[in-house]
mmCIF file with all atom_site columns, all heavy atoms in Angstrom:
data_model
loop_
_atom_site.group_PDB
_atom_site.id
_atom_site.type_symbol
_atom_site.label_atom_id
_atom_site.label_alt_id
_atom_site.label_comp_id
_atom_site.label_asym_id
_atom_site.label_entity_id
_atom_site.label_seq_id
_atom_site.pdbx_PDB_ins_code
_atom_site.Cartn_x
_atom_site.Cartn_y
_atom_site.Cartn_z
_atom_site.occupancy
_atom_site.B_iso_or_equiv
_atom_site.pdbx_formal_charge
_atom_site.auth_seq_id
_atom_site.auth_comp_id
_atom_site.auth_asym_id
_atom_site.auth_atom_id
_atom_site.pdbx_PDB_model_num
ATOM 1   N N   . THR F 1 101 ? 107.356 90.683 107.479 1.00 73.00 ? 101 THR F N   1
ATOM 2   C CA  . THR F 1 101 ? 108.478 90.661 108.369 1.00 73.00 ? 101 THR F CA  1
ATOM 3   C C   . THR F 1 101 ? 108.183 90.691 109.810 1.00 73.00 ? 101 THR F C   1
ATOM 4   O O   . THR F 1 101 ? 108.710 90.010 110.556 1.00 73.00 ? 101 THR F O   1
ATOM 5   C CB  . THR F 1 101 ? 109.415 91.809 107.908 1.00 73.00 ? 101 THR F CB  1
ATOM 6   O OG1 . THR F 1 101 ? 109.887 91.732 106.569 1.00 73.00 ? 101 THR F OG1 1
ATOM 7   C CG2 . THR F 1 101 ? 110.703 91.801 108.907 1.00 73.00 ? 101 THR F CG2 1
ATOM 8   N N   . ILE F 1 102 ? 107.215 91.496 110.128 1.00 75.00 ? 102 ILE F N   1
ATOM 9   C CA  . ILE F 1 102 ? 106.754 91.723 111.619 1.00 75.00 ? 102 ILE F CA  1
ATOM 10  C C   . ILE F 1 102 ? 106.187 90.465 111.999 1.00 75.00 ? 102 ILE F C   1
ATOM 11  O O   . ILE F 1 102 ? 106.450 89.914 113.078 1.00 75.00 ? 102 ILE F O   1
ATOM 12  C CB  . ILE F 1 102 ? 105.834 92.895 111.650 1.00 75.00 ? 102 ILE F CB  1
ATOM 13  C CG1 . ILE F 1 102 ? 106.568 94.214 111.519 1.00 75.00 ? 102 ILE F CG1 1
ATOM 14  C CG2 . ILE F 1 102 ? 105.138 92.907 113.014 1.00 75.00 ? 102 ILE F CG2 1
ATOM 15  C CD1 . ILE F 1 102 ? 105.578 95.393 111.375 1.00 75.00 ? 102 ILE F CD1 1
ATOM 16  N N   . SER F 1 103 ? 105.316 89.786 111.156 1.00 64.00 ? 103 SER F N   1
ATOM 17  C CA  . SER F 1 103 ? 104.742 88.517 111.448 1.00 64.00 ? 103 SER F CA  1
ATOM 18  C C   . SER F 1 103 ? 105.840 87.409 111.761 1.00 64.00 ? 103 SER F C   1
ATOM 19  O O   . SER F 1 103 ? 105.705 86.646 112.744 1.00 64.00 ? 103 SER F O   1
ATOM 20  C CB  . SER F 1 103 ? 103.774 88.035 110.513 1.00 64.00 ? 103 SER F CB  1
ATOM 21  O OG  . SER F 1 103 ? 102.672 88.866 110.242 1.00 64.00 ? 103 SER F OG  1
ATOM 22  N N   . THR F 1 104 ? 106.826 87.364 110.896 1.00 64.00 ? 104 THR F N   1
ATOM 23  C CA  . THR F 1 104 ? 107.864 86.443 111.164 1.00 64.00 ? 104 THR F CA  1
ATOM 24  C C   . THR F 1 104 ? 108.577 86.569 112.372 1.00 64.00 ? 104 THR F C   1
ATOM 25  O O   . THR F 1 104 ? 108.932 85.687 113.118 1.00 64.00 ? 104 THR F O   1
ATOM 26  C CB  . THR F 1 104 ? 108.817 86.526 109.897 1.00 64.00 ? 104 THR F CB  1
ATOM 27  O OG1 . THR F 1 104 ? 108.057 86.261 108.768 1.00 64.00 ? 104 THR F OG1 1
ATOM 28  C CG2 . THR F 1 104 ? 110.048 85.472 110.033 1.00 64.00 ? 104 THR F CG2 1
ATOM 29  N N   . LEU F 1 105 ? 108.920 87.882 112.679 1.00 72.00 ? 105 LEU F N   1
ATOM 30  C CA  . LEU F 1 105 ? 109.531 88.217 113.956 1.00 72.00 ? 105 LEU F CA  1
ATOM 31  C C   . LEU F 1 105 ? 108.823 87.842 115.174 1.00 72.00 ? 105 LEU F C   1
ATOM 32  O O   . LEU F 1 105 ? 109.334 87.261 116.077 1.00 72.00 ? 105 LEU F O   1
ATOM 33  C CB  . LEU F 1 105 ? 110.016 89.646 114.041 1.00 72.00 ? 105 LEU F CB  1
ATOM 34  C CG  . LEU F 1 105 ? 110.936 90.164 113.018 1.00 72.00 ? 105 LEU F CG  1
ATOM 35  C CD1 . LEU F 1 105 ? 111.193 91.763 113.070 1.00 72.00 ? 105 LEU F CD1 1
ATOM 36  C CD2 . LEU F 1 105 ? 112.341 89.537 113.273 1.00 72.00 ? 105 LEU F CD2 1
ATOM 37  N N   . GLU F 1 106 ? 107.399 88.082 114.941 1.00 64.00 ? 106 GLU F N   1
ATOM 38  C CA  . GLU F 1 106 ? 106.649 87.724 116.165 1.00 64.00 ? 106 GLU F CA  1
ATOM 39  C C   . GLU F 1 106 ? 106.526 86.122 116.365 1.00 64.00 ? 106 GLU F C   1
ATOM 40  O O   . GLU F 1 106 ? 106.513 85.714 117.492 1.00 64.00 ? 106 GLU F O   1
ATOM 41  C CB  . GLU F 1 106 ? 105.111 88.134 115.792 1.00 64.00 ? 106 GLU F CB  1
ATOM 42  C CG  . GLU F 1 106 ? 105.035 89.703 116.049 1.00 64.00 ? 106 GLU F CG  1
ATOM 43  C CD  . GLU F 1 106 ? 103.702 90.187 115.677 1.00 64.00 ? 106 GLU F CD  1
ATOM 44  O OE1 . GLU F 1 106 ? 102.872 89.412 115.001 1.00 64.00 ? 106 GLU F OE1 1
ATOM 45  O OE2 . GLU F 1 106 ? 103.300 91.311 116.146 1.00 64.00 ? 106 GLU F OE2 1
ATOM 46  N N   . MET F 1 107 ? 106.506 85.375 115.191 1.00 59.00 ? 107 MET F N   1
ATOM 47  C CA  . MET F 1 107 ? 106.559 83.968 115.339 1.00 59.00 ? 107 MET F CA  1
ATOM 48  C C   . MET F 1 107 ? 107.830 83.452 115.819 1.00 59.00 ? 107 MET F C   1
ATOM 49  O O   . MET F 1 107 ? 107.852 82.430 116.770 1.00 59.00 ? 107 MET F O   1
ATOM 50  C CB  . MET F 1 107 ? 106.327 83.294 113.883 1.00 59.00 ? 107 MET F CB  1
ATOM 51  C CG  . MET F 1 107 ? 104.851 83.511 113.475 1.00 59.00 ? 107 MET F CG  1
ATOM 52  S SD  . MET F 1 107 ? 104.558 82.617 111.912 1.00 59.00 ? 107 MET F SD  1
ATOM 53  C CE  . MET F 1 107 ? 105.516 83.605 110.808 1.00 59.00 ? 107 MET F CE  1
ATOM 54  N N   . GLN F 1 108 ? 108.951 84.009 115.531 1.00 61.00 ? 108 GLN F N   1
ATOM 55  C CA  . GLN F 1 108 ? 110.207 83.758 115.998 1.00 61.00 ? 108 GLN F CA  1
ATOM 56  C C   . GLN F 1 108 ? 110.361 84.031 117.528 1.00 61.00 ? 108 GLN F C   1
ATOM 57  O O   . GLN F 1 108 ? 110.893 83.227 118.291 1.00 61.00 ? 108 GLN F O   1
ATOM 58  C CB  . GLN F 1 108 ? 111.352 84.407 115.313 1.00 61.00 ? 108 GLN F CB  1
ATOM 59  C CG  . GLN F 1 108 ? 111.632 84.029 113.845 1.00 61.00 ? 108 GLN F CG  1
ATOM 60  C CD  . GLN F 1 108 ? 112.544 84.818 113.197 1.00 61.00 ? 108 GLN F CD  1
ATOM 61  O OE1 . GLN F 1 108 ? 113.043 85.828 113.593 1.00 61.00 ? 108 GLN F OE1 1
ATOM 62  N NE2 . GLN F 1 108 ? 112.886 84.484 111.884 1.00 61.00 ? 108 GLN F NE2 1
ATOM 63  N N   . LEU F 1 109 ? 109.686 85.077 117.965 1.00 68.00 ? 109 LEU F N   1
ATOM 64  C CA  . LEU F 1 109 ? 109.701 85.461 119.314 1.00 68.00 ? 109 LEU F CA  1
ATOM 65  C C   . LEU F 1 109 ? 108.879 84.467 120.098 1.00 68.00 ? 109 LEU F C   1
ATOM 66  O O   . LEU F 1 109 ? 109.217 83.980 121.237 1.00 68.00 ? 109 LEU F O   1
ATOM 67  C CB  . LEU F 1 109 ? 109.058 86.895 119.457 1.00 68.00 ? 109 LEU F CB  1
ATOM 68  C CG  . LEU F 1 109 ? 108.868 87.411 120.963 1.00 68.00 ? 109 LEU F CG  1
ATOM 69  C CD1 . LEU F 1 109 ? 110.180 87.438 121.722 1.00 68.00 ? 109 LEU F CD1 1
ATOM 70  C CD2 . LEU F 1 109 ? 108.150 88.686 120.922 1.00 68.00 ? 109 LEU F CD2 1
ATOM 71  N N   . ALA F 1 110 ? 107.627 84.069 119.499 1.00 58.00 ? 110 ALA F N   1
ATOM 72  C CA  . ALA F 1 110 ? 106.830 83.086 120.190 1.00 58.00 ? 110 ALA F CA  1
ATOM 73  C C   . ALA F 1 110 ? 107.481 81.724 120.323 1.00 58.00 ? 110 ALA F C   1
ATOM 74  O O   . ALA F 1 110 ? 107.398 81.060 121.387 1.00 58.00 ? 110 ALA F O   1
ATOM 75  C CB  . ALA F 1 110 ? 105.473 82.967 119.428 1.00 58.00 ? 110 ALA F CB  1
ATOM 76  N N   . SER F 1 111 ? 108.138 81.383 119.250 1.00 55.00 ? 111 SER F N   1
ATOM 77  C CA  . SER F 1 111 ? 108.955 80.096 119.315 1.00 55.00 ? 111 SER F CA  1
ATOM 78  C C   . SER F 1 111 ? 109.994 80.145 120.448 1.00 55.00 ? 111 SER F C   1
ATOM 79  O O   . SER F 1 111 ? 110.230 79.192 121.103 1.00 55.00 ? 111 SER F O   1
ATOM 80  C CB  . SER F 1 111 ? 109.560 79.797 117.871 1.00 55.00 ? 111 SER F CB  1
ATOM 81  O OG  . SER F 1 111 ? 110.281 78.635 117.961 1.00 55.00 ? 111 SER F OG  1
ATOM 82  N N   . ALA F 1 112 ? 110.715 81.209 120.331 1.00 61.00 ? 112 ALA F N   1
ATOM 83  C CA  . ALA F 1 112 ? 111.802 81.432 121.465 1.00 61.00 ? 112 ALA F CA  1
ATOM 84  C C   . ALA F 1 112 ? 111.288 81.301 122.886 1.00 61.00 ? 112 ALA F C   1
ATOM 85  O O   . ALA F 1 112 ? 111.852 80.697 123.776 1.00 61.00 ? 112 ALA F O   1
ATOM 86  C CB  . ALA F 1 112 ? 112.550 82.715 121.244 1.00 61.00 ? 112 ALA F CB  1
ATOM 87  N N   . ARG F 1 113 ? 110.089 81.911 123.074 1.00 59.00 ? 113 ARG F N   1
ATOM 88  C CA  . ARG F 1 113 ? 109.406 81.953 124.453 1.00 59.00 ? 113 ARG F CA  1
ATOM 89  C C   . ARG F 1 113 ? 109.100 80.632 124.755 1.00 59.00 ? 113 ARG F C   1
ATOM 90  O O   . ARG F 1 113 ? 109.236 80.023 125.825 1.00 59.00 ? 113 ARG F O   1
ATOM 91  C CB  . ARG F 1 113 ? 108.239 82.928 124.414 1.00 59.00 ? 113 ARG F CB  1
ATOM 92  C CG  . ARG F 1 113 ? 108.671 84.382 124.515 1.00 59.00 ? 113 ARG F CG  1
ATOM 93  C CD  . ARG F 1 113 ? 107.400 85.211 124.419 1.00 59.00 ? 113 ARG F CD  1
ATOM 94  N NE  . ARG F 1 113 ? 107.629 86.578 124.701 1.00 59.00 ? 113 ARG F NE  1
ATOM 95  C CZ  . ARG F 1 113 ? 106.758 87.546 124.497 1.00 59.00 ? 113 ARG F CZ  1
ATOM 96  N NH1 . ARG F 1 113 ? 105.578 87.368 124.172 1.00 59.00 ? 113 ARG F NH1 1
ATOM 97  N NH2 . ARG F 1 113 ? 107.102 88.835 124.764 1.00 59.00 ? 113 ARG F NH2 1
ATOM 98  N N   . ALA F 1 114 ? 108.499 79.852 123.713 1.00 52.00 ? 114 ALA F N   1
ATOM 99  C CA  . ALA F 1 114 ? 108.115 78.516 124.038 1.00 52.00 ? 114 ALA F CA  1
ATOM 100 C C   . ALA F 1 114 ? 109.119 77.493 124.271 1.00 52.00 ? 114 ALA F C   1
ATOM 101 O O   . ALA F 1 114 ? 109.116 76.733 125.112 1.00 52.00 ? 114 ALA F O   1
ATOM 102 C CB  . ALA F 1 114 ? 107.268 77.892 122.838 1.00 52.00 ? 114 ALA F CB  1
ATOM 103 N N   . ALA F 1 115 ? 110.294 77.718 123.608 1.00 51.00 ? 115 ALA F N   1
ATOM 104 C CA  . ALA F 1 115 ? 111.534 77.035 123.698 1.00 51.00 ? 115 ALA F CA  1
ATOM 105 C C   . ALA F 1 115 ? 112.088 77.179 125.158 1.00 51.00 ? 115 ALA F C   1
ATOM 106 O O   . ALA F 1 115 ? 112.529 76.310 125.839 1.00 51.00 ? 115 ALA F O   1
ATOM 107 C CB  . ALA F 1 115 ? 112.589 77.185 122.613 1.00 51.00 ? 115 ALA F CB  1
ATOM 108 N N   . ARG F 1 137 ? 111.786 74.218 114.006 1.00 90.00 ? 137 ARG F N   1
ATOM 109 C CA  . ARG F 1 137 ? 110.465 73.993 113.615 1.00 90.00 ? 137 ARG F CA  1
ATOM 110 C C   . ARG F 1 137 ? 110.511 73.577 112.104 1.00 90.00 ? 137 ARG F C   1
ATOM 111 O O   . ARG F 1 137 ? 111.234 74.060 111.301 1.00 90.00 ? 137 ARG F O   1
ATOM 112 C CB  . ARG F 1 137 ? 109.631 75.304 113.687 1.00 90.00 ? 137 ARG F CB  1
ATOM 113 C CG  . ARG F 1 137 ? 109.293 75.763 115.020 1.00 90.00 ? 137 ARG F CG  1
ATOM 114 C CD  . ARG F 1 137 ? 108.297 76.798 115.130 1.00 90.00 ? 137 ARG F CD  1
ATOM 115 N NE  . ARG F 1 137 ? 108.686 77.870 114.229 1.00 90.00 ? 137 ARG F NE  1
ATOM 116 C CZ  . ARG F 1 137 ? 107.845 78.850 113.731 1.00 90.00 ? 137 ARG F CZ  1
ATOM 117 N NH1 . ARG F 1 137 ? 106.554 78.702 114.024 1.00 90.00 ? 137 ARG F NH1 1
ATOM 118 N NH2 . ARG F 1 137 ? 108.314 79.784 112.893 1.00 90.00 ? 137 ARG F NH2 1
ATOM 119 N N   . VAL F 1 232 ? 102.266 76.080 117.221 1.00 96.00 ? 232 VAL F N   1
ATOM 120 C CA  . VAL F 1 232 ? 103.067 77.138 116.642 1.00 96.00 ? 232 VAL F CA  1
ATOM 121 C C   . VAL F 1 232 ? 104.530 77.113 117.061 1.00 96.00 ? 232 VAL F C   1
ATOM 122 O O   . VAL F 1 232 ? 105.324 77.631 116.285 1.00 96.00 ? 232 VAL F O   1
ATOM 123 C CB  . VAL F 1 232 ? 102.358 78.501 116.915 1.00 96.00 ? 232 VAL F CB  1
ATOM 124 C CG1 . VAL F 1 232 ? 102.840 79.041 118.244 1.00 96.00 ? 232 VAL F CG1 1
ATOM 125 C CG2 . VAL F 1 232 ? 102.774 79.506 115.772 1.00 96.00 ? 232 VAL F CG2 1
ATOM 126 N N   . ASP F 1 236 ? 106.148 75.104 111.710 1.00 97.00 ? 236 ASP F N   1
ATOM 127 C CA  . ASP F 1 236 ? 105.970 76.408 110.990 1.00 97.00 ? 236 ASP F CA  1
ATOM 128 C C   . ASP F 1 236 ? 105.013 76.199 109.932 1.00 97.00 ? 236 ASP F C   1
ATOM 129 O O   . ASP F 1 236 ? 105.381 75.823 108.676 1.00 97.00 ? 236 ASP F O   1
ATOM 130 C CB  . ASP F 1 236 ? 107.290 76.957 110.471 1.00 97.00 ? 236 ASP F CB  1
ATOM 131 C CG  . ASP F 1 236 ? 107.172 78.185 109.605 1.00 97.00 ? 236 ASP F CG  1
ATOM 132 O OD1 . ASP F 1 236 ? 106.127 78.937 109.701 1.00 97.00 ? 236 ASP F OD1 1
ATOM 133 O OD2 . ASP F 1 236 ? 108.125 78.637 108.982 1.00 97.00 ? 236 ASP F OD2 1
ATOM 134 N N   . LYS F 1 313 ? 98.685  81.335 110.458 1.00 96.00 ? 313 LYS F N   1
ATOM 135 C CA  . LYS F 1 313 ? 99.866  81.397 111.170 1.00 96.00 ? 313 LYS F CA  1
ATOM 136 C C   . LYS F 1 313 ? 99.943  82.676 112.125 1.00 96.00 ? 313 LYS F C   1
ATOM 137 O O   . LYS F 1 313 ? 100.181 82.475 113.319 1.00 96.00 ? 313 LYS F O   1
ATOM 138 C CB  . LYS F 1 313 ? 101.060 81.509 110.276 1.00 96.00 ? 313 LYS F CB  1
ATOM 139 C CG  . LYS F 1 313 ? 102.499 81.491 110.977 1.00 96.00 ? 313 LYS F CG  1
ATOM 140 C CD  . LYS F 1 313 ? 103.557 81.777 109.906 1.00 96.00 ? 313 LYS F CD  1
ATOM 141 C CE  . LYS F 1 313 ? 103.617 80.709 108.824 1.00 96.00 ? 313 LYS F CE  1
ATOM 142 N NZ  . LYS F 1 313 ? 104.754 80.974 107.893 1.00 96.00 ? 313 LYS F NZ  1
ATOM 143 N N   . THR F 1 317 ? 100.235 82.692 116.219 1.00 96.00 ? 317 THR F N   1
ATOM 144 C CA  . THR F 1 317 ? 101.153 83.366 116.898 1.00 96.00 ? 317 THR F CA  1
ATOM 145 C C   . THR F 1 317 ? 100.638 84.340 117.875 1.00 96.00 ? 317 THR F C   1
ATOM 146 O O   . THR F 1 317 ? 101.269 84.556 119.006 1.00 96.00 ? 317 THR F O   1
ATOM 147 C CB  . THR F 1 317 ? 102.140 84.162 115.805 1.00 96.00 ? 317 THR F CB  1
ATOM 148 O OG1 . THR F 1 317 ? 102.587 83.053 114.942 1.00 96.00 ? 317 THR F OG1 1
ATOM 149 C CG2 . THR F 1 317 ? 103.415 84.745 116.447 1.00 96.00 ? 317 THR F CG2 1
ATOM 150 N N   . ILE F 1 321 ? 101.510 84.449 121.890 1.00 95.00 ? 321 ILE F N   1
ATOM 151 C CA  . ILE F 1 321 ? 102.199 85.613 122.617 1.00 95.00 ? 321 ILE F CA  1
ATOM 152 C C   . ILE F 1 321 ? 101.415 86.180 123.692 1.00 95.00 ? 321 ILE F C   1
ATOM 153 O O   . ILE F 1 321 ? 101.871 86.638 124.708 1.00 95.00 ? 321 ILE F O   1
ATOM 154 C CB  . ILE F 1 321 ? 102.475 86.694 121.483 1.00 95.00 ? 321 ILE F CB  1
ATOM 155 C CG1 . ILE F 1 321 ? 103.612 86.217 120.483 1.00 95.00 ? 321 ILE F CG1 1
ATOM 156 C CG2 . ILE F 1 321 ? 102.990 87.944 122.152 1.00 95.00 ? 321 ILE F CG2 1
ATOM 157 C CD1 . ILE F 1 321 ? 103.878 87.146 119.352 1.00 95.00 ? 321 ILE F CD1 1
#
Side-chain angles (χ1 to χ4, degrees):
T101 301
I102 291 171
S103 298
T104 301
L105 292 173
E106 287 176 341
M107 286 185 292
Q108 292 174 352
L109 176 62
S111 179
R113 285 177 174 174
R137 295 189 308 161
V232 80
D236 179 13
K313 179 189 303 184
T317 302
I321 293 173

